[in-house]
């Protein structure tokens, strides 16, 4: 039997996305599963594992019941299904609104257990210090300010 050789593909990371600011548009779509990530990978720069997975996949009435464990499970699946896109995982409700130290522990766990390149938080004035704390410790953060 001959060993199959897979082409090495470099995954995009936060510096690659930052370098494109004001130049090339960035394509970002949501994925919750390995098959969807595999389909979207070549066409997307970012794959977001959103906490909307609670409603879309698990039938929850809103995102409040989404757990860190759910985000890790879906983040792992998206990482397995993708090779090129930067993967960003939502930090679920309650995982970053307390102390900055707790937010860091949860963000580090998300990134360690999934291999994702960044986390996403719903941002605003009350979260700015936490985002600063995370970024200063090497956690790439995508902020979402709502509609």
């Amino acid at each position: 039997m001959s060993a199959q050789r897979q082409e090495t593909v470099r995954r995009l990371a936060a510096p690659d996305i930052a370098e494109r600011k004001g130049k090339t548009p960035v394509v970002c779509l949501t994925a919750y599963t390995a098959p969807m990530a595999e389909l979207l990978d070549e066409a997307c720069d970012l794959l977001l594992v959103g906490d909307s997975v609670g409603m879309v996949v698990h039938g929850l009435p809103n995102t409040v019941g989404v757990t860190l464990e759910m985000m890790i499970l879906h983040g792992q699946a998206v990482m397995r299904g993708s090779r090129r896109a930067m993967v960003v995982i939502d930090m679920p409700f309650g995982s970053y609104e307390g102390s900055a130290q707790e937010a860091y522990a949860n963000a580090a766990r998300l990134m360690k257990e999934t291999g994702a390149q960044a986390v996403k938080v719903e941002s605003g004035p009350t979260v700015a210090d936490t985002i600063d704390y995370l970024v200063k410790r090497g956690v790439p953060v995508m902020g979402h300010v709502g509609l």
Side-chain angles (χ1 to χ4, degrees), residues 79-102:
M79 285 296 293
R80 283 192 297 271
S82 63
R83 295 179 23 193
R84 180 192 154 284
M86 178 178 169
V87 175
V88 180
I89 302 177
D90 251 340
M91 292 189 68
F93 178 76
S95 68
Y96 62 92
E97 294 88 349
S99 73
Q101 294 79 11
E102 181 182 9

Side-chain angles (χ1 to χ4, degrees), residues 14-94:
D16 299 311
I17 302 302
E19 214 292 304
R20 291 170 54 179
K21 185 173 181 173
K23 300 174 188 168
T24 308
V26 174
V27 177
C28 177
L29 290 173
T30 298
Y32 308 121
T33 65
M36 187 56 71
E38 189 173 358
L39 286 170
L40 297 176
D41 189 49
E42 282 191 42
C44 292
D45 302 303
L46 300 171
L47 289 175
L48 172 66
V49 184
D51 59 0
S52 53
V53 69
M55 297 178 303
V56 176
V57 176
H58 296 277
L60 296 176
N62 54 50
T63 60
V64 174
V66 173
T67 66
L68 203 57
E69 288 70 24
M70 289 167 74
M71 298 310 299
I72 290 168
L73 177 73
H74 288 279
Q76 290 168 336
V78 169
M79 285 296 293
R80 283 192 297 271
S82 63
R83 295 179 23 193
R84 180 192 154 284
M86 178 178 169
V87 175
V88 180
I89 302 177
D90 251 340
M91 292 189 68
F93 178 76

